[in-house]
Amino acid sequence: LKWLDLDNNQLTTIDVSNNTALVELYLRSNQLTAIKGIENITNRAVRIVLRDNPLSKKTKSYLHELQQSGYRNIFYHDQGINWWN
């Protein structure tokens, strides 16, 4: 799997551990609270956009740690808040 785009569904958790060749991941307007397995993606330039999802504090912390470790194209946007990380 290289690209995944999921919008407007009831998805609450996603694990991308087995998708090491992922290039782009877009998850918009879901019920996503958690994501895991990003650290298994070999391409640190992978573009990950999580927009309008109720991400948990733990998930936001995980994403921030990944950004600090070299995954620079991770963007997330809280529901109702107009800013990007």
Side-chain angles (χ1 to χ4, degrees):
L1 183 65
K2 287 191 173 188
W3 298 275
L4 179 60
D5 190 344
L6 295 171
D7 298 336
N8 300 307
N9 66 55
Q10 299 301 309
L11 180 71
T12 60
T13 304
I14 189 165
D15 183 348
V16 295
S17 297
N18 294 323
N19 303 105
T20 58
L22 204 57
V23 175
E24 293 185 4
L25 174 63
Y26 293 91
L27 302 171
R28 293 175 295 258
S29 300
N30 301 296
Q31 295 301 311
L32 191 73
T33 59
I35 185 169
K36 62 183 179 177
I38 295 172
E39 65 278 1
N40 294 333
I41 300 171
T42 55
N43 175 13
R44 288 185 175 241
V46 60
R47 182 168 178 82
I48 298 173
V49 177
L50 309 171
R51 182 176 179 162
D52 293 328
N53 293 286
L55 301 173
S56 69
K57 288 182 183 181
K58 182 178 178 181
T59 298
K60 291 177 196 176
S61 177
Y62 168 67
L63 296 171
H64 180 73
E65 288 174 18
L66 288 168
Q67 288 171 324
Q68 297 302 308
S69 70
Y71 289 87
R72 301 285 182 197
N73 292 319
I74 296 176
F75 305 95
Y76 54 97
H77 176 268
D78 284 339
Q79 289 178 322
I81 298 175
N82 294 319
W83 49 266
W84 286 88
N85 289 326

